[in-house]
Amino acid sequence: MTELSHIRNFSIIAHIDHGKSTLADRLIHACGGLSDREMKEQVLDNMDIERERGITIKAQTVRLDYLAADGDRYQLNLMDTPGHVDFAYEVSRSLAACEGSLLVVDASQGVEAQTLANVYMAIDADHEIIVVLNKVDLPAADVPRVKAQIEDVIGIDASDAIEVSAKTGLNINAVLEALVTRLPAPKGVRDDKLKSMLVDSWYDPYLGVMALTRVRDGVLKKGMKVRMMATGVNHQIDRVGVLTPKIVEVAELGPGEVGFITASIKTVADCRVGDTITNDRDPCADPLEGFKPSVPVVFCGLFPIDAATYTHLRESLEKLRLNDASFHFEAESSAALGFGFRCGFLGLLHLEIIQERLEREFDLDLITTAPSVVYKLNMTDGTVIEMHNPADMPDVMKIASIEEPWIVATIFVPDEYLGPVLTLCTERRGEQIELTYVGSRAMVVYKLPLNEVVFDFYDRLKSISRGYASFDYQVDEYVEGDLVKLQILVNAEPVDALSVIVHRGQSENRGRAICQRLKDLIPRQLFKIPVQAAIGGKVIARETISAMRKDVTAKCYGGDISRKRKLLDKQKEGKKRMRQFGKVEIPQSAFIAALKMGDA
C-alpha cells in the first residue's frame, strides 16, 4: 500500500511528433519498468497500425516505481496520450484521471496548434503543468526562442523548463525529480465509501472486458461486488491489477491509484467510459462528474460486402466502441448496399483508423460511403430535421432552408507558405477572423464550413506548406447556406454512396471533377458507360467511358464488305442489349478517391 503523498498521476501532452511516446519509453526504462531486453521503441504503442503510422491512437497507462533523490519510493502513474486532433477525446479522458501534465514541446519546431489545444484542456482540468523541451540535441534546436514562444503564445512560465533529449536519454532524471517535487499528490479518503472513475476499457480475448479505473475514495479489492452507477448493473471483481506495462495482479487499489479490474463483464454496453464504480452493498451518494460525451462531426455508412457477415460486423463494432468511446454507430439500410451501419467519427483520420482496424483485427471486407456532416433541414411546415446521409434528403419543395455546421480553425504556418494557405481557406468558403505573428510564424484563425474541411483539407494543407503547417479546430455553430444535393449516375443508375451535399456555386466544378475521376477509376466494359452528375433532374456534367472493342472481323480475310458489315451490326445489337441490362461494378477504392477535392 502506497501513501497518498507518495503517488503522482500525470499525463504527457504535446503536438504530433514532438516525442511523447519516446519520452514515455525513457521514463519506463529509467524506473526499471522493463528490462533492456524487453525494451523496444514506442513500447506503449501496441497496435500494429500505431507502429506502422508512427502515431499514438490510444492513450496508454503505466505504473512506475521511482526511488527519488530524498530516499523515498514514489508510485508514478503515467498516461501517454495521442497528439492528433481526431483523438482529442482520448486526451480529455486521460487528463480527468490525473493531477498534472508534462507539456512536451519540440525545441526546433516550437509551439504548434495541438500544443495549444492540449494545454488549454489541461488548464481547464486544473492541472499543474511542467514544461519539457525535447530534442535539444538537434542542430536546429533554439531553446531561448521556444521558451519565449511558450510564454507569449500560451502564457505559462517557461523559465524553469527542463531541457531533455528523449532519444538519447539526456536529463531524464531531472524530469522524474520534477514530477515528484512539483506535481501535487492526489486527494482521497481510504475509509470513505468506494468511488472510482472508469477511465477506459478494452476487450482482451482471454480476460474479457478490462476496465481501467482511477480510485478517488475507498478501496477496490478482488472478490468485491461493485455497481456501475450509470447503467445500474453489478459485477463481482475477478482480478485487480496494474500495468507496468506488463499485467501485474495486486491485492487492492487504494485512493489516488490507477489500475484495471476484470469482472466477467459479458456485454460491452455495461462498461461506459466516465461511469462511476461503487460498492454494491454500500454505494456512494452521488456519482463523479464523468466526461462530456464526444460529439461526432463526420458520418459515413459501413456496409459488409458479404451480407452474411452483418452480425459479425455488429459484434466487431461493439468491441471497438468499448475501446473507443468517441466512436458512435447505429443500424441503417440502403437500397443499393443492403444492411449496414451509420457511423459517427471525430474526423477523417479517425474514420480511416476504425475502417483499417475492422479490416485487420476482425477480418471484414467493407464498403464505405462518402463521409458527410450533419445538416439541419428547416421544413416548410416548421419542423427541423437532422440529416446524416445525403441519400435521405427529402423533396426539395418541402425544404425551406438548409443549415450546415461551421468550425473555427487555428492554423500555424511559416511566413513563406502563408499565401497558399490563405488561398486554400478562401477556396473552401472560409472567412478570416484574425492573423497574428509569433516570430516568423503566422497564426491564422478562420471560420470554415465543416463539409469543406472533412475530406482532404488537412492533406492539402500539409502538401502546400511542405508539412510545416499545423491545424486544430472546434465546431462553432450552424449557418444557413445555399446547398444542393449532387447525385452521381453511372449508366443511368444513381449511386447512393457517391451522393454529396455541395454549395450551389461550386456544384458544377465538383460534379465535373467527380465525373472525370470516375472515368479513370471505373474499369472499362464491353459497352459504353455514361457517368453523369445531376442536381434534381438537371444533368450538369457528363463523361463517357468508352467500350472495349472485340475485333469480330478478325476471322474475315478478304471477301465482300457486306460480310464484315453483317458481323459489325450484330456486335452493335449485342452492345445495345448489353447496355440495357449491363451492371457496372464500382471498385471500393473508387469511392473515396472520386470524392477527394483538390488535385494536388
Side-chain angles (χ1 to χ4, degrees):
M1 187 187 113
T2 312
E3 278 181 45
L4 262 178
S5 60
H6 285 177
I7 297 175
R8 298 288 184 271
N9 297 323
F10 67 98
S11 53
I12 305 180
I13 55 173
H15 187 76
I16 312 152
D17 278 346
H18 279 206
K20 295 177 292 298
S21 299
T22 311
L23 179 62
D25 288 354
R26 292 290 81 75
L27 294 174
I28 292 167
H29 196 211
C31 294
L34 290 172
S35 65
D36 288 353
R37 190 171 58 82
E38 292 166 315
M39 250 349 255
K40 56 181 179 181
E41 290 202 359
Q42 280 81 38
V43 70
L44 296 183
D45 291 348
N46 49 20
M47 279 191 263
D48 291 347
I49 193 166
E50 290 182 309
R51 306 190 73 79
E52 279 168 31
R53 288 173 177 247
I55 56 173
T56 302
I57 294 166
K58 284 295 299 171
Q60 298 289 349
T61 308
V62 186
R63 173 187 287 197
L64 302 172
D65 194 29
Y66 175 59
L67 181 63
D70 59 8
D72 287 344
R73 280 210 170 274
Y74 284 86
Q75 182 198 114
L76 306 178
N77 291 310
L78 171 158
M79 292 203 176
D80 179 29
T81 63
H84 201 282
V85 59
D86 284 17
F87 308 115
Y89 194 61
E90 288 284 328
V91 183
S92 68
R93 292 191 349 224
S94 304
L95 295 179
C98 305
E99 284 78 35
S101 291
L102 286 182
L103 172 66
V104 181
V105 182
D106 184 328
S108 56
Q109 301 273 2
V111 175
E112 304 267 9
Q114 275 309 105
T115 315
L116 267 185
N118 288 346
V119 96
Y120 289 149
M121 265 197 251
I123 291 167
D124 286 346
D126 209 15
H127 274 206
E128 185 66 41
I129 293 169
I130 298 174
V131 181
V132 176
L133 296 182
N134 191 18
K135 309 190 188 183
V136 294
D137 56 327
L138 292 183
D142 186 350
V143 173
R145 176 180 66 84
V146 174
K147 279 188 179 179
Q149 206 177 49
I150 290 169
E151 290 179 356
D152 291 350
V153 180
I154 304 174
I156 55 177
D157 181 26
S159 56
D160 53 359
I162 307 164
E163 297 170 27
V164 305
S165 165
K167 196 173 174 187
T168 60
L170 172 77
N171 249 349
I172 293 300
N173 272 6
V175 176
L176 289 163
E177 280 301 315
L179 287 169
V180 169
T181 53
R182 284 159 61 179
L183 289 190
K187 295 184 177 70
V189 183
R190 189 178 173 80
D191 303 327
D192 223 338
K193 294 178 179 180
L194 173 66
K195 190 186 270 191
S196 185
M197 181 191 269
L198 207 160
V199 182
D200 197 1
S201 53
W202 63 94
Y203 191 82
D204 184 286
Y206 303 107
L207 303 174
V209 175
M210 296 176 76
L212 183 75
T213 180
R214 153 74 202 265
V215 182
R216 296 279 177 188
D217 297 312
V219 183
L220 256 178
K221 290 183 183 161
K222 186 177 173 177
M224 207 172 167
K225 202 166 187 190
V226 292
R227 184 191 304 172
M228 310 276 184
M229 290 184 84
T231 50
V233 289
N234 46 34
H235 296 285
Q236 186 149 356
I237 295 181
D238 300 334
R239 54 168 70 70
V240 177
V242 295
L243 301 162
T244 68
K246 294 175 287 197
I247 290 176
V248 177
E249 288 196 36
V250 294
E252 59 175 46
L253 289 174
E257 294 192 300
V258 179
F260 72 85
I261 57 167
T262 65
S264 311
I265 301 169
K266 300 283 189 299
T267 57
V268 166
D270 290 350
C271 240
R272 276 201 209 149
V273 168
D275 201 347
T276 304
I277 301 173
T278 187
N279 192 332
D280 190 46
R281 294 205 180 89
D282 186 14
C284 58
D286 39 335
L288 294 160
E289 215 174 86
F291 312 119
K292 279 192 305 213
S294 72
V295 181
V297 292
V298 180
F299 288 84
C300 87
L302 289 179
F303 294 86
I305 286 176
D306 176 5
T309 57
Y310 175 78
T311 315
H312 177 40
L313 173 60
R314 190 183 63 231
E315 287 163 3
S316 308
L317 288 172
E318 281 176 354
K319 283 177 187 170
L320 269 191
R321 168 75 193 275
L322 174 75
N323 188 243
D324 184 351
S326 55
F327 164 58
H328 297 258
F329 68 91
E330 57 189 44
E332 75 160 356
S333 62
S334 141
L337 302 167
F339 289 104
F341 294 91
R342 189 94 197 133
C343 305
F345 307 90
L346 296 184
L348 267 202
L349 178 69
H350 191 198
L351 182 159
E352 221 175 292
I353 297 290
I354 292 278
Q355 191 187 340
E356 206 165 317
R357 284 183 69 186
L358 284 169
E359 286 171 359
R360 282 183 183 204
E361 294 171 29
F362 302 100
D363 204 19
L364 284 157
D365 284 331
L366 301 171
I367 291 176
T368 315
T369 64
S372 68
V373 299
V374 181
Y375 297 94
K376 285 185 180 166
L377 309 182
N378 298 312
M379 310 304 281
T380 46
D381 60 1
T383 54
V384 177
I385 301 175
E386 283 198 349
M387 181 178 70
H388 292 238
N389 189 347
D392 301 336
M393 187 158 169
D395 183 4
V396 188
M397 302 309 291
K398 294 180 182 169
I399 303 172
S401 64
I402 305 178
E403 292 180 11
E404 60 178 335
W406 281 58
I407 60 168
V408 174
T410 310
I411 301 168
F412 276 85
V413 61
D415 198 21
E416 64 263 39
Y417 306 115
L418 181 60
V421 169
L422 295 180
T423 310
L424 174 70
C425 292
T426 313
E427 275 172 12
R428 299 289 166 95
R429 301 192 281 134
E431 297 168 8
Q432 190 175 319
I433 298 175
E434 64 172 294
L435 171 59
T436 48
Y437 274 89
V438 183
S440 65
R441 285 161 79 228
M443 182 175 107
V444 196
V445 181
Y446 255 91
K447 272 187 83 168
L448 287 153
L450 184 60
N451 76 342
E452 298 281 350
V453 175
V454 120
F455 258 101
D456 55 348
F457 181 84
Y458 191 66
D459 299 351
R460 296 272 291 126
L461 181 71
K462 285 287 182 197
S463 65
I464 59 177
S465 66
R466 300 209 182 153
Y468 283 112
S470 64
F471 169 72
D472 177 56
Y473 66 87
Q474 277 96 29
V475 178
D476 185 38
E477 58 177 350
Y478 272 80
V479 178
E480 193 178 313
D482 184 11
L483 303 167
V484 290
K485 175 182 169 185
L486 183 69
Q487 219 174 8
I488 303 297
L489 309 167
V490 176
N491 202 20
E493 293 275 322
V495 183
D496 266 359
L498 289 173
S499 299
V500 284
I501 302 282
V502 292
H503 193 265
R504 196 183 295 276
Q506 296 176 336
S507 58
E508 202 171 314
N509 292 345
R510 280 294 297 284
R512 190 167 291 128
I514 293 175
C515 288
Q516 281 168 351
R517 280 250 165 78
L518 283 174
K519 184 185 176 186
D520 299 334
L521 293 163
I522 295 175
R524 288 167 69 191
Q525 311 285 333
L526 287 168
F527 53 94
K528 268 190 197 168
I529 306 169
V531 179
Q532 297 161 307
I535 295 172
K538 183 184 172 193
V539 174
I540 57 168
R542 168 178 171 139
E543 292 285 337
T544 306
I545 302 170
S546 55
M548 284 196 291
R549 183 163 172 219
K550 184 182 174 191
D551 190 0
V552 286
T553 58
K555 60 178 180 283
C556 289
Y557 41 92
D560 188 31
I561 184 68
S562 59
R563 290 179 63 199
K564 289 187 179 178
R565 272 263 63 89
K566 188 175 157 192
L567 288 168
L568 289 168
D569 287 344
K570 195 172 166 191
Q571 182 185 33
K572 201 187 271 179
E573 280 302 310
K575 289 199 172 193
K576 198 170 168 185
R577 198 163 61 249
M578 218 186 254
R579 186 156 71 241
Q580 271 177 326
F581 304 111
K583 279 266 181 226
V584 182
E585 287 283 316
I586 301 177
Q588 168 59 21
S589 57
F591 282 102
I592 298 290
L595 291 150
K596 288 264 165 90
M597 288 186 260
D599 287 300

